[in-house]
Amino acid sequence: DTAVSQTPKYLVTQMGNDKSIKCEQNLGHDTMYWYKQDSKKFLKIMFSYNNKELIINETVPNRFSPKSPDKAHLNLHINSLELGDSAVYFCASSQFVLGTGTQYFGPGTRLTVL
Amino acid sequence: EDQVTQSPEALRLQEGESSSLNCSYTVSGLRGLFWYRQDPGKGPEFLFTLYSAGEEKEKERLKATLTKKESFLHITAPKPEDSATYLCAVHPNSGGSNYKLTFGKGTLLTVNP
C-alpha cells in the first residue's frame, strides 16, 4: 500500500514541451512538497502546500506551477521545458505537528529533456 | 542562511567495519534534525529525527547522535545491505521556514562483503 505515489516514474520529452507530474498521498497528511534532485544528488525544495494553500515558493522559474486540488494531491506542471530542467523530482508529505513533521517521500519522477 | 555539510562525500567499508558519518549544520535555531537513507532510483526513506543536543536514537545497526553543531550517524558492524546514500536535513526554527527542510549533499556509503 503505497504511501506517497508519483506518476509517471520516467518522463522523456523535447525542449519547449509542456508536461505534468502527479503526486498522491494516502497518509492523511495536510502538507505536501515538491523537491528537485539534480545530477549531483542535491535535494532542494521547490514548493510546499498546506491544506491546499501555497506556503513555500522557493526561487523557481515561473514556468513551474504547482497545483493542489485537495490535501491528498499535489501536481507539478512545467511549461516550455529546458535542458536544465532535467532532474529527478520528488513529492513528499508530512503531518505538520508543532513544526516538526517528518516528511515522507515518493519514488521520484526522472525527467529528461532532449 | 541555513547550511548543512555532510562528510565524507563517499565512504567505503568492509563488512563488519564500524564507522561514522558526520553532519555539520548552521541554523538560527533547530526544530529538528533528520536522517534519511536513499537507495539508487528511489526516494529518501526516513530513519531518525533528533530534536535536542544529547539526544540519541537507534535502529538496528544505526545510531544517530546530536550536538549543538553536528550530528553523527554511527554504523556498527555494517552489512552490504546498508549500502546507500545517507542524507541529513535540518528543520530550522525560524518563522519563514516552518515547513522547510534544508538537506546536505549526502554521504554515499558502500559496504563490501
Side-chain angles (χ1 to χ4, degrees):
Chain A
D1 197 17
T2 305
V4 182
S5 59
Q6 295 178 230
T7 54
K9 186 165 176 62
Y10 300 97
L11 190 51
V12 180
T13 188
Q14 299 288 332
M15 272 176 50
N17 285 348
D18 303 339
K19 290 293 180 185
S20 292
I21 307 172
K22 296 185 176 182
C23 177
E24 177 181 1
Q25 55 96 1
N26 61 9
L27 297 167
H29 290 166
D30 54 19
T31 308
M32 296 184 72
Y33 312 79
W34 279 112
Y35 284 86
K36 178 179 181 180
Q37 190 170 47
D38 59 26
S39 58
K40 295 184 179 180
K41 307 298 183 184
F42 188 44
L43 197 63
K44 190 166 184 182
I45 187 144
M46 300 172 68
F47 303 102
S48 177
Y49 272 77
N50 177 252
N51 284 322
K52 302 195 295 176
E53 179 187 350
L54 182 65
I55 56 170
I56 294 177
N57 186 352
E58 292 294 285
T59 307
V60 176
N62 56 16
R63 298 181 294 103
F64 291 79
S65 54
K67 286 187 180 175
S68 181
D70 55 58
K71 280 183 13 174
H73 296 84
L74 180 62
N75 304 323
L76 183 65
H77 188 75
I78 315 171
N79 290 326
S80 304
L81 278 155
E82 301 178 357
L83 293 176
D85 297 332
S86 295
V88 181
Y89 292 84
F90 287 100
C91 177
S93 73
S94 69
Q95 183 63 49
F96 180 70
V97 179
L98 298 177
T100 55
T102 298
Q103 294 182 20
Y104 295 89
F105 286 78
T109 295
R110 181 174 293 277
L111 171 65
T112 303
V113 182
L114 303 174
Chain B
E1 186 176 326
D2 307 321
Q3 285 194 326
V4 179
T5 303
Q6 291 188 246
S7 61
E9 288 187 12
L11 180 62
R12 191 176 291 271
L13 300 173
Q14 288 298 122
E15 185 171 2
E17 179 187 0
S18 301
S19 188
S20 297
L21 312 183
N22 177 263
C23 171
S24 298
Y25 62 91
T26 304
V27 293
S28 54
L30 185 70
R31 286 180 186 264
L33 184 141
F34 298 79
W35 281 98
Y36 285 85
R37 170 191 170 128
Q38 186 174 21
D39 293 301
K42 296 191 176 181
E45 176 188 346
F46 170 72
L47 293 174
F48 303 109
T49 309
L50 301 166
Y51 296 104
S52 56
E55 189 175 359
E56 299 183 351
K57 289 195 176 171
E58 289 189 63
K59 180 180 180 180
E60 296 181 355
R61 296 176 292 283
L62 299 177
K63 178 180 175 181
T65 62
L66 180 65
T67 73
K68 289 186 178 179
K69 293 184 178 180
E70 58 192 349
S71 177
F72 292 93
L73 185 64
H74 307 276
I75 303 176
T76 302
K79 298 182 177 181
E81 53 262 41
D82 294 323
S83 298
T85 296
Y86 290 85
L87 299 169
C88 172
V90 295
H91 189 171
N93 188 17
S94 55
S97 304
N98 276 341
Y99 300 84
K100 182 179 169 183
L101 291 186
T102 298
F103 279 84
K105 294 186 177 181
T107 294
L108 175 61
L109 174 66
T110 304
V111 182
N112 295 317

